[in-house]
Amino acid sequence: MTLATAEQSAFPVSDIDPFSKEYLGDPYPYHEQLREAGPIVWLRKWDCWATGRHKEMNDVLADPQTFSSSAGIGIANFNNEKPWRPPSLLLESDPPEHTRRRAVVGKVLSAGNLRRLKADFEVAAEALVERILEKRQIEAVRDIAEPYILKVFPDAVGIGKSGRENLIPYGSAVFNAFGPQNDIYRESMRGIEPVSEWIMSNCRRENLRPGGLGSEVYDAVDTGEVPPDEAPILVRSFLSAGIDTTVHSIGNALWCFATHPDQWKKLCANPGLVRSAFLEAVRFESPFQTYFRTSTRDTSIAGVPIANNQKLFLSAGSANRDPRRWERPDVFDIERQNLGHMGFGAGIHGCIGQMIARLETEVLFTAMARRIASIAIAGPATHRLNNVLRGLDTLPLTVTAQ
Ligand code: EJD
């Protein structure tokens, strides 16, 4: 970290590389450097602006006209370079098209519409808890997070049982592609073609179970709310956004509880805390850490001039631990007042899937809290490095019955 001298520039300049293995392995010291350098910082390594502060991030997300998503929310600027796949019609789009599409998908993913899924989630969670209590020694990513999500979410969307193992590598590629074309990116893109083909095939109407969430997108084609050519790409959004994010949120939350046994005890004693507990885990160890916006005009942030067509790096992970916004930000506290954290974003692109993500995880953690008295780390927890995600690859645990 170097600070440009005042004679050279009126803004801080940093050599932090938020896509290096060092940063991705332990981003928190870098977050602090970024936040303390200033409200807005120039990243020399990638020639872009960056903020690690909650206020500035929130301001940027509140002004989607000036800070656009349609040039991509990754480091690649779609105004200058070709995207690796046809852009998302939701995430990588702006009003007015975004608004129209989001309204349809918002109805499909609304809390009321999801109510009927709860019983299915409960059956899956109960079965899983039964299995892990029998094993006692588990690896939580492969024994809990992945099998639970790979069952309940694809079932909810309405895709077939075969080939679901493609969902994790696909998500890994989608999220790595928001970063630069480094080793991590290239590794996740190896052999991605058949995976992408499997995904797109499962987005076709004839392959979606009637009554499932995917099929409901096609119902909106019949009513004229969605153009037919948009439907498969909208269903693709479910399969892109709904797996790695929730798998990592479960793994990260279990890591939080295993390393804060008092908080697990508190949840067991008061299951009504499950909602705020999950929100706190997403604040404390945010699965989706990093994204960008692109300026659409000459503007300024905190008095620093930003030219048109510049990429702006936003760190949700850092904003979620900004001491300007949070008391004791580095403390995991399930009773904390959590409203306004950046783990689900903010503004018009704020996470549209959070109702289903929360339903899935609340059902799982409720089932676990009823039956499991303690969760203890039983071996090395390792991270699965991804350019924009924070999540675990392994989490060995010992679980003890109530
Ligand atoms: C996402 C951060 C898509 C898509 C939408 C959202 C995400 C990824 C992909 C989930 C970003 O529409 O393809 S958390």
Side-chain angles (χ1 to χ4, degrees), residues 100-294:
R100 169 175 63 71
R101 295 163 186 153
R102 182 172 168 112
V104 174
V105 175
K107 251 191 283 173
V108 174
L109 295 177
S110 64
N113 196 44
L114 300 177
R115 256 199 307 265
R116 63 195 165 76
L117 294 173
K118 190 174 183 189
D120 294 344
F121 294 178
E122 282 169 344
V123 169
E126 294 296 340
L128 198 61
V129 170
E130 205 62 54
R131 240 181 300 150
I132 62 182
L133 277 173
E134 271 165 32
K135 282 180 87 168
R136 293 199 55 236
Q137 298 289 336
I138 61 162
E139 195 285 284
V141 178
R142 275 148 198 88
D143 290 336
I144 303 179
E146 289 185 347
Y148 180 65
I149 292 302
L150 287 176
K151 164 137 189 70
V152 299
F153 187 71
D155 280 0
V157 173
I159 69 176
K161 299 278 182 209
S162 83
R164 288 184 179 185
E165 68 279 358
N166 286 303
L167 289 162
I168 300 265
Y170 186 70
S172 165
V174 165
F175 287 98
N176 273 318
F178 294 137
Q181 297 186 8
N182 53 10
D183 291 348
I184 300 170
Y185 168 93
R186 277 188 292 274
E187 177 62 25
S188 73
M189 284 293 170
R190 265 198 314 131
I192 204 66
E193 244 168 78
V195 174
S196 290
E197 278 166 30
W198 181 89
I199 292 283
M200 289 321 298
S201 154
N202 277 276
C203 293
R204 300 213 320 256
R205 187 169 207 169
E206 63 269 31
N207 293 331
L208 291 163
R209 174 177 58 78
L213 303 177
S215 159
E216 289 188 30
V217 172
Y218 282 94
D219 294 343
V221 172
D222 298 339
T223 60
E225 293 167 279
V226 167
D229 60 319
E230 290 191 357
I233 304 291
L234 290 175
V235 175
R236 191 192 69 176
S237 289
F238 293 161
L239 303 183
S240 304
I243 302 285
D244 300 53
T245 48
T246 49
V247 167
H248 284 330
S249 73
I250 292 168
N252 290 354
L254 288 170
W255 181 86
C256 289
F257 283 121
T259 53
H260 299 78
D262 58 316
Q263 300 293 308
W264 182 253
K265 280 206 193 79
K266 205 187 280 181
L267 178 64
C268 293
N270 184 359
L273 288 172
V274 68
R275 176 193 158 92
S276 69
F278 178 67
L279 290 180
E280 174 66 351
V282 173
R283 180 195 71 86
F284 191 72
E285 288 284 355
S286 307
F288 187 51
Q289 287 266 316
T290 290
Y291 42 105
F292 291 79
R293 291 293 187 262
T294 311

Side-chain angles (χ1 to χ4, degrees), residues 337-350:
Q337 185 52 259
N338 253 303
L339 249 53
H341 82 53
M342 287 294 164
F344 296 105
I348 65 164
H349 287 278

Side-chain angles (χ1 to χ4, degrees), residues 35-67:
R35 284 192 306 265
E36 299 315 312
I40 178 101
V41 179
W42 180 254
L43 293 188
R44 215 191 315 251
K45 168 85 185 179
W46 297 108
D47 280 345
C48 67
W49 294 103
T51 185
R53 293 195 188 173
H54 185 279
K55 180 193 182 296
E56 280 69 26
M57 180 164 183
N58 200 55
D59 289 350
V60 165
L61 295 178
D63 185 0
Q65 222 175 341
T66 309
F67 300 105

